[in-house]
Amino acid sequence: MDRLLASSASAQEATRRAIRGRRSGEGPRVRFGTDRAGMNAAARSESLTIGAVSRPTRRIRSIVFDTAVDDLGKQNILLRGYEMHGAAFVELSWARAATPGGARGSIELRVPSLEVGKMLGFSEPLRRSIANRPLEARSVAETERRERVLERAHTRIAVCFDDGFVECGGRRSNFHEIELQLLEGAEEEFWTVAAELAPRAKARFLPMSEVELALARATGAGVAPVKARRPTLAADASLDEAIVTALSACLDQFVANWPALQSHAPEEAIHQMRVALRRLRAGVGMLRRSVVSEALEAASAGARDISATLGAARNLDVLVDMLVAGPLAQANGEPRFYALLDAAERRRIEAHAAVAALVAAPATTQFVIDLRAALAAKAWRPPSGDAAPQRSAFDPSAPGTAKSFAMRSLDRLHRRAIKKSRDLAALTPDQRHQARIAFKKARYAAEFFESLFGAHAKARRYLRRTAALQDKLGAVNDLTVAAELLRGLGETDADLAPASAFAIGWCAHARAGAAVDWKKTERSLKTLETFWR
């Protein structure tokens, strides 16, 4: 898409500067959803009134355009027109596939009007990208925006209070959103303001606006689940930089999957949220030998509590899939097996509802904001006193400390994983589960620090082989967990007991069959080559 617009971009640069521009280089921003009472409480709060300079209220009408067959959406392009103060603007943004973190390119122009023909006049390449099919309004939003700028000693924060509605797909819904954006100054103070605001407004964190969500629902495309992004670190990065980068990536993955919970198949989003929190907890656990942080420990505890709800839903997702592919496929239409499946499905629906309630809960938003604030403040320190002799004490802000920390940590976690996987064939299910956890921690650490070392091919082989072993051990553990869930269903309802007992036996048989290659797997681990030494 960059090349698509190159022919017209230079001629439009003057116009872009003359109107609003892209405001590139600005600091972080955060968006909250709330209700009218929460909006009013936020507007009156000391956090957003002391040192605040108000701006005139603006009314904004925004329209998202696409063709009837979603030509732009399929190319991950967003074409948005909006009217403000009697002027019309158009914003075109698109994915930059090669850019880490999924950054988007964008261009914004003033146009004569939001009439489609006139609006498209600025870009022949855009017309070609939709094969000259007509554009239509896919969503329309009208917003009353009140703006303030918080002027602190060394920090300026823009605050927007948006009240409005969005019409999309024949449905209309109201929204109340608060957005904070750091214009200048310390990121630490920005997140402190956000952390103070969230409970007062009873706010929920919004990874994307209500308008974007409504459009995704109306087009039927939904929001795709987001997998883990491997951090990128400079070779001379400090441990401080590594902590911020790695844990931010975990948090990004966690919140990016919230919108996907509203899709028709939320199972993968739940799985990815759980993975994100596991990675976060593994990262905090790895750091305990070199830094002390009450804030990170609190984040790890919060992630553990959230993961419990996610884990319950994920286990039931696995159980339902297993019943359909395994015991049910051999049931020959026996009604009791379908009754067992129905009971598992009902529990899964309840578990998914619990996940949705968890994401919407103010405590989960507070978890996200508090961790952002801790990372911005670098709220950790080297160990001191009695803890220092047992820990590797060094200045985490010094250049190069990330690499030295990574080498020691990767050595330790790899040795532990190899030790726990000795004699795999003879291990109990619980011991194999512990081996799986050890390899998972080693792999997460390898993903966190891979970019510090130049051996990309060796790193890929290491990650591929450890992931394959983790999958094998995970499949066996899934059968064990499924058997426990089936036992609970059978004990709860006597009518389900026969089908439950059969399915438990099927799990035991499948688990026994999976043990035949453990000796071969253990031999292959002896040739597992590390990439950091």
Side-chain angles (χ1 to χ4, degrees), residues 254-270:
F254 174 59
V255 300
N257 280 285
W258 291 10
L261 290 174
Q262 299 185 26
S263 67
H264 296 298
E267 296 84 1
E268 182 62 17
I270 291 172

Side-chain angles (χ1 to χ4, degrees), residues 111-179:
V111 292
S113 75
L114 294 188
E115 294 180 28
V116 173
K118 294 179 180 179
M119 191 175 63
L120 278 178
F122 79 94
S123 178
E124 174 63 30
L126 180 60
R127 286 200 300 272
R128 289 199 302 269
S129 74
I130 60 176
N132 285 319
R133 279 186 277 268
L135 287 171
E136 58 184 47
R138 303 308 301 270
S139 73
V140 178
E142 294 194 8
T143 305
E144 181 180 273
R145 172 168 292 177
R146 294 171 289 155
E147 295 181 281
R148 297 176 186 173
V149 175
L150 303 182
E151 301 277 0
R152 303 296 174 90
H154 304 289
T155 305
R156 294 175 64 241
I157 300 172
V159 185
C160 292
F161 301 91
D162 286 350
D163 289 284
F165 67 86
V166 56
E167 291 182 348
C168 192
R171 297 171 58 187
R172 174 170 171 160
S173 57
N174 298 325
F175 61 83
H176 308 280
E177 296 180 359
I178 306 170
E179 183 181 89

Side-chain angles (χ1 to χ4, degrees), residues 144-390:
E144 181 180 273
R145 172 168 292 177
R146 294 171 289 155
E147 295 181 281
R148 297 176 186 173
V149 175
L150 303 182
E151 301 277 0
R152 303 296 174 90
H154 304 289
T155 305
R156 294 175 64 241
I157 300 172
V159 185
C160 292
F161 301 91
D162 286 350
D163 289 284
F165 67 86
V166 56
E167 291 182 348
C168 192
R171 297 171 58 187
R172 174 170 171 160
S173 57
N174 298 325
F175 61 83
H176 308 280
E177 296 180 359
I178 306 170
E179 183 181 89
L180 306 181
Q181 182 172 17
L182 179 62
L183 300 178
E184 181 183 356
E187 188 173 336
E188 176 183 353
E189 186 168 2
F190 170 81
W191 288 111
T192 299
V193 171
E196 292 171 354
L197 170 65
R200 181 175 292 275
K202 296 182 180 179
R204 64 187 187 283
F205 180 85
L206 295 178
M208 59 173 49
S209 70
E210 297 287 357
V211 176
E212 293 170 312
L213 278 172
L215 179 63
R217 288 193 294 265
T219 59
V223 180
V226 178
K227 293 187 176 182
R229 171 175 56 86
R230 294 180 189 174
T232 300
L233 298 166
D236 63 345
S238 68
L239 180 57
D240 279 352
E241 292 169 333
I243 294 172
V244 172
T245 302
L247 298 189
S248 292
C250 298
L251 196 55
D252 289 344
Q253 182 192 7
F254 174 59
V255 300
N257 280 285
W258 291 10
L261 290 174
Q262 299 185 26
S263 67
H264 296 298
E267 296 84 1
E268 182 62 17
I270 291 172
H271 172 59
Q272 293 301 331
M273 289 167 63
R274 191 182 182 203
V275 167
L277 295 184
R278 280 180 166 178
R279 287 165 58 86
L280 193 152
R281 293 187 66 206
V284 173
M286 179 174 53
L287 292 167
R288 291 187 181 117
R289 291 174 175 262
S290 294
V291 298
V292 176
S293 174
E294 292 80 2
L296 294 186
E297 292 298 337
S300 180
R304 179 196 60 217
D305 294 342
I306 296 170
S307 293
T309 300
L310 297 173
R314 175 63 179 169
N315 290 340
L316 285 161
D317 288 338
V318 172
L319 173 63
V320 169
D321 291 344
M322 185 213 73
L323 284 173
V324 172
L328 195 63
Q330 303 174 25
N332 297 321
E334 169 59 46
R336 283 177 294 183
F337 286 93
Y338 289 99
L340 179 65
L341 179 63
D342 288 344
E345 182 63 42
R346 285 194 297 272
R347 289 199 178 183
R348 176 164 77 156
I349 292 171
E350 293 171 357
H352 282 199
V355 170
L358 177 75
V359 166
T364 307
T365 286
Q366 200 67 44
F367 161 79
V368 172
I369 301 302
D370 286 346
L371 181 52
R372 292 285 191 207
L375 295 175
K378 296 182 176 59
W380 49 83
R381 63 187 185 279
S384 58
D386 294 339
Q390 286 78 38

